[in-house]
Amino acid sequence: LSHAEMLHLRNAMYSYEKQRVMTMMENLSHQMQAFHEVLEENDALKTELGRVKKERDNEVSDLQKTLIDMKLTLAQCQGREDHTRLTTGRLEMDLKKAHDENYR
């Protein structure tokens, strides 16, 4: 090959390599942009997940408080029921005693 042909061939190879590198860089740029979008979406999802977890924790806490209140109310009702049974038992005994005294 002549010197001019060699230069033309070298320039053609350089141009081809330059175009190939530019295409690779453009593809890499698109991939980087997509990666950044995924990272941003991931951050948004993490934030949303944190918010949902906090809401769930608050709901669980509220339910635990409600359960404790219900247990206290139940204990009070059972206490009143026990007291009512004792009072009823005493009244029945007094009634029986009064009834027995009336028949003597």
Side-chain angles (χ1 to χ4, degrees):
L1 292 176
S2 70
H3 182 66
E5 290 174 331
M6 294 278 289
L7 283 175
H8 179 70
L9 184 59
R10 191 179 305 147
N11 286 340
M13 287 174 53
Y14 171 75
S15 179
Y16 171 77
E17 283 298 314
K18 180 180 175 184
Q19 184 61 36
R20 193 172 73 82
V21 167
M22 293 300 286
T23 301
M24 286 174 50
M25 289 179 65
E26 186 176 328
N27 289 340
L28 183 59
S29 175
H30 291 303
Q31 290 174 352
M32 290 292 290
Q33 180 63 31
F35 179 71
H36 285 293
E37 289 172 5
V38 168
L39 286 177
E40 288 173 5
E41 183 179 345
N42 187 42
D43 289 342
L45 290 173
K46 282 182 181 179
T47 300
E48 178 67 12
L49 181 60
R51 185 189 62 75
V52 168
K53 282 182 178 179
K54 186 175 181 179
E55 284 180 8
R56 185 204 60 208
D57 290 345
N58 289 340
E59 289 174 4
V60 167
S61 178
D62 290 346
L63 288 172
Q64 288 172 335
K65 289 175 186 175
T66 301
L67 181 61
I68 290 169
D69 289 344
M70 290 172 76
K71 286 180 178 180
L72 288 173
T73 302
L74 176 62
Q76 289 171 349
C77 289
Q78 288 172 336
R80 282 188 225 127
E81 180 183 14
D82 291 346
H83 178 68
T84 302
R85 282 186 186 162
L86 286 172
T87 303
T88 303
R90 278 192 221 122
L91 289 173
E92 287 173 349
M93 288 173 55
D94 290 346
L95 180 62
K96 185 176 180 188
K97 184 178 175 183
H99 187 267
D100 288 346
E101 286 177 5
N102 283 339
Y103 281 107
R104 285 186 190 165

